[in-house]
Amino acid sequence: MARGPESANHQGASLVSQPADLVITGADVYCGEPARTWAAAVAIRSDRIVAVGSEAEVRDRVGSAVNVLHLPGRMVIAGFQDAHVHPATAGRNRLTVSLNEISGRQDYLDVVARYAAAHPDEPWVVGGGWAMEYFPGGKPTRDDLDDIVGDRPVFLFNRDVHGAWVNSKALEIAGITKDTPDPADGWIERDPHTGEPTGMLHEGAAYSFSDHVVPVPGQGALEAALLNAQAHLHSLGITGWQDAWVTPQTEAAYRSIAASGQLTARVVGALWWDRHRGLDQVADLLSRRERGSVAGAGSFHPTSVKIMIDGVLENFTGALLEPYCDGCGGHTDNTGLTYVDRAELAEAVTTLDRHGFQVHMHAIGDRAVRNALDAVATARSANGVTDHRHHVAHIQLVRPEDRTRFSELGVVANCQTYWAQMEPQMEQLTIPFLGRDRADQQYPFADLVRKGARIAMGSDWSVTTANPLEQMEVAVNRIDPQNRSNPPFLPEQRLTLAQAVGGFTLGTAYVNHDDQDSGSIEVGKRADLAVLDRNVFTAPVTELSDASVELTLSSGRPVFERR
C-alpha cells in the first residue's frame, strides 16, 4: 500500500512501543486503495494509526490498550470524504425550512406553514430543498405561498440551488415588478400575458436576491448551521470535505469554530469566484488564503477557488455545444448560459494556477466541461505542470472525445453519482430537452475511469443526500435506492464497489491534498475511521445503502456513536 508522509511514518514508529489509546478487533478492516487489502485489527494512539494487521500482529506492536472495541460482524473503513458539499446551506435549511426529505407541492406548503406559525417573530421565512418536478414546467408560483404566508417575505431555494420560489411580499420588498429587467445571468419568471412576476427566480436573479435582499445570517447563525451540518455528516461516517461555496461570511464562521476546537472535520474551503468581478478579485482571494489555515480539533484550509461555469439542464442554463431540443422532437436556438466565458475562464484558471490555487469548477453541460478542460490546458501551457489538482464537478454531459482529456490534463472528475439514476426530473425535464443521443452520454463515470481519470466523489448536499452509502449504491447499480425495481440508467457506466469506495476515501483525500495523511488505513496516517454495521463487500451491492454507520472517529476521537 501507499505510505503516509515521512513525518507521519516517524510519528507512527515512535508510538509503536507505547500502549494504544484504542484497539479495534473482530471487524473486517478494509485498508483501502490502492492495494485493497484486509486486516483484522487496527490500533490508534493520539490522532494516528499505529498498527494494522492480524490481532496477534497488532498486540505484538502495541502491547496493551486503554480501550478495546471487539466488533465482530462489523467493517472498519477509512473515514469517508466529500469532494463537493454545501454545509452552510444544508445546515441552515435544517434549522429553518428544510424541504429536501419530503416530496410534493402540498407537503412543501404544509412544512412552510408550520414553520411560519411556529416562528411568528422571524422577519423572513427562508430555507429550501423543493424539487422542480412537482410543479408544472418546474415552476411554482407566488400564489401558493401567499395563501399560507402573506404577511412576511418567503425565500426558498430549490433543491439544485439554481432557482428560488418567493411570495408577493418578497417581490414587493425587492421592488420587482413587470418593469424590472432581467439580469444578464438569469431571469425573472413572468406571466406570459401580463408580464407580472410569478414568484420564480432563475439563476442570477435568485442569487442576486439572496445576496442583496434576504438578510445575511449573522456569524452565530452560520456557526450553528455549520455545526449542525457537521454533526449530520459525521453520523454518515464523513470526516472531511471540500466546501464548494465559501463566502467571506462562511469563512469567518469556519475560522471561529476551528479556533475553538469545534471543527472536528478537516475542511478545504473553495473560495467563491464572483463572476461579476473578474481578475480584480484575485488579490482578495490571495489575502484570504494568506491568513492561513486554522487548526483546531480539525482544520480549515482556504486553498481552492470555486468557479461556476454554467447552470443546470433542467432550466436550460447548462451550457451545450448544440441547442436544446424543444421537448417535441425539434430544436430551439438556446445553447444555455456560460457565466464565465471561454476566454475569461482560461485567463482566470491560468492566473489562479500561477498563484498556487486549486480550481474547483462547476460544469454540467458538454460545452461547460470542454471550456473547463480547455482552461486547464491553457494554464498548463502557460505555467507548466503543477500539482494543484484542479477538478471539474458534476460532469453530467461529457462528449466522448473529451473523456480522455481528464487523464491527459491531470484533471480530477468530481462525480455526483446519486444523480445517475432514472427519476422524475430526468424523465420530465432533462431527457426530452437533450434528445436520446445526448441523454445517453450522461454521467459517464465508468468511461472516465477506463480512460485513466482520477475520480473523487461529492454529494452536493443539500441538493441530494449526503449519505455516501446511498450515493455508492447508485454508482454501482445506476438505480434509485428507494425504487430498486427500476431499470438501471445507462448501466454500462456502472462503477465497481471498490472504485466507488475509493472515490469517497482516497479519491477525495487526493483532491484535498490530504492523501498522504488520510483516505486509507495505514500506519502513520491520521485515525479517521468509520465503523459500518456490516461488510459491504460481502453484502449484495443492490442493498448497499441498507448498511449504516455505527461509529465515526476523526483524528482518533469519537465524533459520532450510534446509540
Side-chain angles (χ1 to χ4, degrees):
M1 289 186 290
R3 305 298 297 175
E6 185 177 350
S7 60
N9 285 332
H10 286 172
Q11 185 177 13
S14 70
L15 296 174
V16 164
S17 61
Q18 303 177 47
D21 296 321
L22 174 66
V23 171
I24 300 174
T25 63
D28 296 331
V29 180
Y30 180 65
C31 299
E33 299 291 318
R36 301 177 184 172
T37 57
W38 293 84
V42 58
I44 298 163
R45 180 168 174 80
S46 186
D47 66 339
R48 296 286 148 178
I49 297 168
V50 295
V52 183
S54 68
E55 291 188 27
E57 290 170 334
V58 169
R59 280 198 303 271
D60 287 345
R61 295 196 69 191
V62 302
S64 59
V66 175
N67 293 300
V68 176
L69 285 178
H70 188 61
L71 302 175
R74 276 61 159 205
M75 175 180 170
V76 181
I77 192 169
F80 298 128
Q81 300 186 38
D82 193 313
H84 183 108
V85 66
H86 301 285
T89 300
R92 192 179 182 211
N93 284 358
R94 284 164 59 87
L95 294 171
T96 54
V97 176
S98 179
L99 305 176
N100 293 80
E101 302 303 321
I102 58 176
S103 301
R105 167 185 166 277
Q106 189 57 52
D107 289 342
Y108 295 155
L109 293 172
D110 290 345
V111 169
V112 173
R114 284 197 298 270
Y115 179 86
H119 299 83
D121 297 328
E122 288 290 339
W124 282 73
V125 175
V126 298
W130 55 272
M132 296 172 67
E133 63 258 29
Y134 297 112
F135 301 93
K139 303 167 186 176
T141 66
R142 62 180 176 172
D143 297 336
D144 282 341
L145 292 176
D146 290 347
D147 288 343
I148 58 172
V149 188
D151 61 329
R152 284 176 286 166
V154 179
F155 180 90
L156 304 168
F157 267 123
N158 67 357
R159 191 165 294 178
D160 62 23
V161 198
H162 285 263
W165 182 15
V166 298
N167 67 351
S168 294
K169 192 68 174 179
L171 292 169
E172 176 189 330
I173 290 172
I176 295 176
T177 70
K178 65 179 181 180
D179 299 317
T180 303
D182 290 332
D185 57 350
W187 70 97
I188 301 160
E189 196 66 40
R190 304 172 193 273
D191 184 286
H193 304 294
T194 67
E196 292 288 345
T198 61
M200 177 74 184
L201 306 173
H202 298 275
E203 299 292 339
Y207 299 146
S208 178
F209 197 107
S210 176
D211 290 344
H212 302 297
V213 181
V214 180
V216 177
Q219 182 164 317
L222 284 173
E223 290 178 17
L226 289 175
L227 292 172
N228 181 287
Q230 177 177 253
H232 181 66
L233 294 169
H234 281 333
S235 76
L236 301 172
I238 296 169
T239 57
W241 59 79
Q242 184 160 150
D243 189 319
W245 192 337
V246 176
T247 65
Q249 294 80 15
T250 312
E251 180 184 354
Y254 268 122
R255 290 182 177 279
S256 176
I257 63 173
S260 68
Q262 296 179 87
L263 183 64
T264 48
R266 184 183 185 277
V267 178
V268 169
L271 307 179
W272 185 251
W273 179 265
D274 184 342
R275 57 190 181 232
H276 303 294
R277 292 182 61 193
L279 295 178
D280 290 346
Q281 66 194 290
V282 172
D284 290 343
L285 296 171
L286 286 167
S287 177
R288 290 168 64 184
R289 186 181 67 181
E290 285 166 5
R291 288 200 290 270
S293 300
V294 178
S299 54
F300 176 68
H301 306 274
T303 53
S304 188
V305 173
K306 167 71 177 300
I307 300 180
M308 181 88 73
I309 298 176
D310 68 342
V312 293
L313 300 181
E314 296 78 44
N315 66 6
F316 318 121
T317 59
L320 300 181
L321 290 165
E322 301 294 336
Y324 283 91
C325 300
D326 61 8
C328 301
H331 282 80
T332 69
D333 59 1
N334 176 27
T335 57
L337 299 177
T338 51
Y339 299 125
V340 183
D341 69 29
R342 184 175 181 275
E344 182 184 354
L345 178 66
E347 187 177 16
V349 172
T350 300
T351 301
L352 292 167
D353 178 82
R354 185 169 65 249
H355 286 293
F357 279 110
Q358 176 188 85
V359 186
H360 179 160
M361 290 170 276
H362 163 117
I364 291 277
D366 52 8
R367 178 159 57 99
V369 172
R370 181 167 295 177
N371 287 357
L373 295 169
D374 288 348
V376 175
T378 300
R380 289 187 63 164
S381 178
N383 303 331
V385 177
T386 65
D387 189 33
H388 301 327
R389 306 181 187 183
H390 306 310
H391 49 127
V392 182
H394 309 323
I395 51 176
Q396 181 168 353
L397 191 60
V398 186
R399 289 291 180 98
E401 59 267 33
D402 285 325
R403 295 173 190 176
T404 59
R405 300 181 69 202
F406 282 82
S407 174
E408 293 167 356
L409 293 169
V411 174
V412 179
N414 189 330
C415 307
Q416 283 60 65
T417 58
Y418 194 78
W419 301 355
Q421 56 172 282
M422 186 61 74
E423 39 79 36
Q425 183 167 284
M426 177 68 74
E427 291 180 300
Q428 299 168 22
L429 299 176
T430 303
I431 291 176
F433 301 96
L434 281 181
R436 187 74 260 170
D437 289 345
R438 283 187 299 195
D440 288 347
Q441 296 177 22
Q442 293 183 90
Y443 305 117
F445 304 139
D447 208 24
L448 287 166
V449 171
R450 283 190 288 265
K451 294 181 183 301
R454 285 182 180 267
I455 62 170
M457 292 192 182
S459 63
D460 207 12
W461 184 59
S462 61
V463 174
T464 43
T465 178
N467 188 340
L469 294 168
E470 292 181 347
Q471 296 167 67
M472 287 190 281
E473 181 172 325
V474 178
V476 301
N477 297 301
R478 310 277 288 205
I479 297 172
D480 178 3
Q482 307 305 316
N483 295 282
R484 288 171 172 160
S485 62
N486 285 357
F489 178 63
L490 305 178
E492 66 275 12
Q493 297 298 342
R494 292 170 172 145
L495 296 174
T496 67
L497 179 55
Q499 289 167 341
V501 169
F504 265 114
T505 51
L506 199 63
T508 297
Y510 175 84
V511 161
N512 283 343
H513 287 85
D514 196 41
D515 52 311
Q516 295 298 301
D517 219 23
S518 71
S520 58
I521 298 178
E522 301 180 62
V523 171
K525 284 198 169 184
R526 198 169 57 247
D528 292 348
L529 305 174
V531 177
L532 309 183
D533 67 350
R534 69 197 72 182
N535 186 332
V536 296
F537 282 88
T538 60
V541 293
T542 54
E543 302 172 8
L544 183 58
S545 65
D546 292 348
S548 62
V549 174
E550 295 191 343
L551 173 69
T552 306
L553 301 178
S554 183
S555 297
R557 294 173 46 187
V559 292
F560 169 76
E561 295 179 74
R562 189 168 300 283
R563 301 298 183 184

